[in-house]
Amino acid sequence: MSGEITIENVSKFYGEVLGVNRVNLSIPPGITSLVGPNGAGKTTLMNLMTGLIQPTRGTIRILGHATDEPEKLFKLVGYSTQFDSFPKGLTGFQFIYLYLRLFGYEARTADELAWRAIERANLTDAAHRKVAAYSKGMRQRIRLAQSISHNPRVLILDEPLNGLDPLARAEMIAMFRSLAVDGCHVIISSHILHEVDIISDQVILLSNGYVVAEGQIQDVRNEIREHPAQILIRCSNQRQLASKLIESGLAIEVRTHEDGHGLLIKTGDADRFYLALNRLVQSGVDVESVLPADDDVNSVYEYLIGTEGAAV
Amino acid sequence: MTRVWLVQILAVIRLEVKKTFFAKRGLWIYLLAFMPLALFVAHAIVLGHQNKDRDRIASESARPLTYQDLTSVTREMSREEITQRLGKPPISYAWDERREDTPGSSRLVICESYRYSDGANDLYIRLEDGKVVGTTLGQHESLGENTVVFAGVFQFFYLRLAIFFGCLGIFMNLFRGELLDKNLHFYFLAPIRRDVLMFAKYLSGLLAATVIFMTSEALQFIALCWSLDSNVRNAYLYHGHGFAHLAAYLGITALACVGYGSLFLAAGLWVRNPIIPAAVILIWEAMNPFLPTVLQKISVIYYLKSLCPVEIPASPDTPAIFAMLISNPEPIAAPIAIFGVILVSFAILVVSSRRVRRMEINYTTE
């Protein structure tokens, strides 16, 4: 069985409306975030990966399985959708228990798995209340609980942190991390970029149905040549360092950081800049720390997609 | 694999049956199903009162009367002759009426009404000035009449309308209703084959439809039997075709649910508006007697009509269109009819399963 999720030349059109176009991806285990403004194609891509919609062109294989074989696919995949609707009259426990019964699990196994998932989602106290009476955050958590209830190897989560309070967000992020550490593919769509930055091993940036970048965030940043890299240098003698950097000809722009305790440098060639900086340090210039200042998702997103839709 | 399917099918049925039986939007199905029952119960109650009334009148007669006694009264008989033959009337009314014989001259007419009964039939006699001017014999409804009425209600209302529209409400909602409620993804995200899911949903719809409509049918039959005289009832049930008729009606009801259920499940997968398939199928089924034989076979009513246990007689006064509807010039043998409905339904389900496998969740377009 293949250990990857592969999307080959996939396009989806709703009549004449573009969903996604010519998407080619290979997603390894770990946390992968789909980032993009509304209408970028994040949910379409997730629905394609779970067979809720079929591609107009191209093929998708999830750990070697086609998406039109739900009987095989959903033993491996859990999907927490954005659809905020539930079968009527069910309690939180029944919602997950009956879902597990659809897997063919015996009553006892389904019961155990349901409780385990409910505990992981911190909903034990509310398990016997009707889902219809849940708050938005609780509904989000019960959906998450359902998606992890059968211990899937691929977890696809559409805006999973929406509606959650800060504590619950932290708990969920910790859970995603532990799943990723265990070798699970966790694919998350989000437009909250600082959270994506914290949790993602890799990102896929989407815009207007196209994948505009993919990979580890630093690699993506390095590939954006038209925007100079920003580097923050903490040092004791800012004036001396600034003049030496300008002399080297590698700094396009040098300015004092807004907190007054460092220099913010813009350079067109980050690799050569770091080599030059090493030489300066060896010659006795005092440098406390060097940090890339714009290799976060927010900067990459802004460079590639623009500020519109980027909620930070 | 079969065992997993069985567990999955049972899980779907468990989820669906509750929804189908207790959905508020399905209340009208119960009304439709139990409407004929209300009719037959009301009929049985009225008939019961009439029978009691007859018994009371018969018991109040001067002597026990026979049907021949009641029919022996003719016009122009005198009051005395009647009382001589039938005894003093248990119920009688008398009143005066002023009649105008010629313009300007009128006379007073003494009118009387007598009612006799032999316990099963009523005789109403009208007298004017002591002479019989008219008689009406109210005969007890026969078993034959009752079973024909029952067959008529079954064929024209229950089968063609109640079960038809009831199945429309139940089976079209199996997928279409879930799409409208934005719940279908719940099933589509489980590791269950789509065709197994469709079959499980169909079974749950079938369970609901057969329970509702067969219960109503059985109760209607009980109401029919209740309205019969106890001797007639016993003869009908234990020495006649009573139980065979009941079994036939229940069987036809179940087969109708099988047939119409598959049709409307398929319609729910292809069409958004239920009115369109309902109208098309209703017209197709109604047109059945007027279609060529080959086309007649592609319908549910064609097979069900042949299974009906009581033929509705067409009198010369019956309008041609009704005569066509009730006529069945080439009845099919029961095993072929049963097999036909199942085969048509199976074919529809096979085609539907292909549709389900390609079905997409796109709630925004619903």
Side-chain angles (χ1 to χ4, degrees):
Chain A
M1 190 192 301
S2 163
E4 291 227 326
I5 295 168
T6 53
I7 299 171
E8 287 175 10
N9 201 28
V10 164
S11 299
K12 176 67 184 177
F13 291 89
Y14 300 101
E16 291 187 359
V17 179
L18 168 69
V20 290
N21 199 11
R22 292 175 197 161
V23 175
N24 284 288
L25 290 169
S26 178
I27 303 173
I31 301 179
T32 303
S33 293
L34 297 180
V35 183
N38 289 338
K42 302 186 294 291
T43 301
T44 299
L45 198 54
M46 290 185 150
N47 286 347
L48 283 165
M49 283 194 268
T50 50
L52 289 189
I53 52 175
Q54 297 298 323
T56 313
R57 272 196 301 271
T59 54
I60 301 173
R61 295 196 84 80
I62 309 287
L63 309 185
H65 293 295
T67 57
D68 59 357
E69 295 175 325
E71 67 276 17
K72 292 175 185 164
L73 185 72
F74 289 108
K75 283 183 178 161
L76 303 169
V77 177
Y79 182 22
S80 172
T81 66
Q82 270 203 79
F83 306 129
D84 194 18
S85 52
F86 297 84
K88 283 176 190 157
L90 298 184
T91 64
F93 171 76
Q94 287 169 334
F95 176 61
I96 297 173
Y97 173 82
L98 292 171
Y99 173 69
L100 287 167
R101 292 287 281 170
L102 290 176
F103 280 66
Y105 287 125
E106 295 297 337
R108 196 172 153 193
T109 314
D111 189 82
E112 280 170 14
L113 289 172
W115 280 116
R116 199 180 303 165
I118 286 168
E119 279 163 23
R120 288 186 86 172
N122 256 342
L123 277 171
T124 311
D125 293 342
H128 289 303
R129 275 165 51 195
K130 292 268 166 73
V131 177
Y134 280 8
S135 67
K136 191 181 176 193
M138 290 163 86
R139 292 201 300 274
Q140 182 71 280
R141 277 190 283 161
I142 201 75
R143 281 201 298 269
L144 279 168
Q146 189 203 44
S147 65
I148 60 165
S149 59
H150 57 293
N151 302 318
R153 287 181 57 204
V154 176
L155 193 57
I156 299 173
L157 310 164
D158 199 353
E159 302 278 0
L161 304 175
N162 266 7
L164 298 185
D165 58 56
L167 183 66
R169 290 173 107 91
E171 285 169 357
M172 289 303 133
I173 289 171
M175 188 176 79
F176 303 156
R177 276 193 185 290
S178 84
L179 288 167
V181 167
D182 291 344
C184 191
H185 291 72
V186 182
I187 299 163
I188 296 171
S189 80
S190 181
H191 60 270
I192 302 176
L193 299 180
H194 71 89
E195 276 173 349
V196 169
D197 220 17
I198 294 166
I199 62 178
S200 307
D201 296 317
Q202 54 261 329
V203 292
I204 295 165
L205 269 74
L206 289 154
S207 179
N208 294 320
Y210 289 89
V211 173
V212 291
E214 56 148 327
Q216 291 188 354
I217 193 68
Q218 282 169 328
D219 297 341
V220 174
R221 173 64 190 94
N222 291 340
E223 283 176 21
I224 307 171
R225 302 285 177 202
E226 66 269 27
H227 287 277
Q230 290 188 48
I231 299 161
L232 174 63
I233 304 175
R234 301 285 186 190
C235 60
S236 55
N237 193 340
Q238 294 173 24
R239 220 175 261 271
Q240 184 200 10
L241 181 63
S243 68
K244 286 191 180 290
L245 288 173
I246 291 167
E247 276 172 26
S248 73
L250 290 167
I252 297 168
E253 186 183 305
V254 179
R255 58 190 165 93
T256 308
H257 190 256
E258 55 194 19
D259 64 8
H261 297 293
L263 291 175
L264 199 61
I265 318 290
K266 278 190 181 177
T267 176
D269 190 337
D271 294 338
R272 282 183 62 202
F273 178 83
Y274 284 123
L275 287 172
L277 188 63
N278 282 347
R279 283 195 294 272
L280 286 173
V281 171
Q282 282 163 6
S283 68
V285 176
D286 178 41
V287 172
E288 290 167 16
S289 67
V290 180
L291 292 168
D294 68 342
D295 67 349
D296 59 351
V297 176
N298 196 31
S299 305
V300 171
Y301 186 96
E302 193 180 322
Y303 294 154
L304 291 174
I305 299 173
T307 51
E308 195 187 343
V312 182
Chain B
M1 190 53 103
T2 318
R3 180 169 162 69
V4 174
W5 287 357
L6 188 68
V7 175
Q8 289 179 324
I9 287 169
L10 289 174
V12 174
I13 289 175
R14 194 175 160 186
L15 270 164
E16 290 294 316
V17 159
K18 197 176 165 191
K19 276 191 284 186
T20 318
F21 274 116
F22 303 109
K24 276 184 197 164
R25 63 176 165 208
L27 267 179
W28 63 272
I29 296 168
Y30 285 95
L31 285 176
L32 206 58
F34 288 91
M35 209 183 277
L37 176 65
L39 195 77
F40 284 113
V41 168
H43 178 247
I45 291 169
V46 170
L47 223 58
H49 279 292
Q50 284 179 350
N51 287 343
K52 274 186 189 166
D53 216 22
R54 283 195 187 106
D55 287 344
R56 184 179 56 78
I57 293 166
S59 67
E60 286 172 9
S61 296
R63 64 175 180 82
L65 299 175
T66 61
Y67 183 69
Q68 283 70 28
D69 291 331
L70 298 183
T71 51
S72 66
V73 178
T74 53
R75 286 174 75 94
E76 295 296 320
M77 266 188 174
S78 68
R79 185 188 300 125
E80 290 70 28
E81 282 174 299
I82 292 170
T83 47
Q84 201 174 0
R85 282 185 187 211
L86 305 180
K88 191 175 172 245
I91 293 177
S92 63
Y93 300 99
W95 68 98
D96 295 338
E97 272 183 25
R98 184 161 291 281
R99 298 267 172 86
E100 201 169 281
D101 289 337
T102 52
S105 74
S106 62
R107 65 183 181 89
L108 205 64
V109 179
I110 300 162
C111 300
E112 287 170 286
S113 172
Y114 294 168
R115 185 177 170 191
Y116 292 93
S117 178
D118 62 355
N121 308 290
D122 288 325
L123 176 68
Y124 296 88
I125 306 168
R126 186 181 160 94
L127 301 100
E128 285 181 8
D129 290 333
K131 295 273 183 201
V132 174
V133 292
T135 61
T136 308
L137 191 62
Q139 288 183 311
H140 191 282
E141 284 179 32
S142 70
L143 173 66
E145 279 171 337
N146 274 314
T147 51
V148 165
V149 169
F150 191 85
V153 170
F154 181 79
Q155 275 202 40
F156 292 107
F157 176 78
Y158 207 59
L159 204 53
R160 289 169 194 262
L161 295 174
I163 297 176
F164 180 89
F165 283 105
C167 286
L168 169 86
I170 291 170
F171 288 90
M172 270 209 72
N173 266 330
L174 291 176
F175 281 93
R176 184 60 44 199
E178 299 255 15
L179 278 171
L180 292 173
D181 290 342
K182 300 184 178 176
N183 279 334
L184 192 58
H185 66 279
F186 177 74
Y187 286 118
F188 279 14
L189 295 178
I192 177 170
R193 284 174 61 122
R194 296 258 182 104
D195 38 11
V196 174
L197 171 68
M198 188 204 74
F199 183 64
K201 274 179 162 281
Y202 174 71
L203 282 184
S204 66
L206 196 59
L207 183 69
T210 48
V211 166
I212 293 170
F213 288 103
M214 285 172 78
T215 304
S216 170
E217 185 58 27
L219 292 174
Q220 287 171 48
F221 192 81
I222 292 169
L224 168 78
C225 292
W226 179 35
S227 70
L228 298 173
D229 177 78
S230 59
N231 293 329
V232 177
R233 181 170 55 229
N234 289 339
Y236 178 50
L237 290 177
Y238 303 112
H239 306 292
H241 302 290
F243 284 117
H245 284 183
L246 174 63
Y249 284 124
L250 292 178
I252 296 165
T253 303
L255 274 177
C257 294
V258 168
Y260 290 129
S262 63
L263 269 175
F264 288 119
L265 179 130
L269 293 172
W270 267 279
V271 190
R272 283 187 196 151
N273 187 348
I275 296 168
I276 297 165
V280 170
I281 298 169
L282 190 66
I283 291 168
W284 180 259
E285 295 283 279
M287 277 168 51
N288 188 269
F290 311 102
L291 295 172
T293 317
V294 179
L295 292 179
Q296 279 185 9
K297 287 173 185 165
I298 313 169
S299 81
V300 177
I301 201 74
Y302 173 76
Y303 301 102
L304 298 181
K305 218 160 67 169
S306 295
L307 293 170
C308 285
V310 177
E311 215 168 287
I312 302 166
S315 68
D317 311 329
T318 309
I321 193 155
F322 278 107
M324 280 292 277
L325 282 174
I326 58 180
S327 73
N328 196 7
E330 289 176 51
I332 322 157
I336 296 170
I338 294 167
F339 181 71
V341 175
I342 292 169
L343 190 71
V344 167
S345 304
F346 181 75
I348 293 167
L349 289 177
V350 168
V351 175
S352 303
S353 71
R354 289 185 183 177
R355 174 77 178 176
V356 166
R357 278 204 289 269
R358 288 198 303 271
M359 196 171 179
E360 295 191 347
I361 298 281
N362 190 2
Y363 295 138
T364 49
T365 58
E366 293 305 316

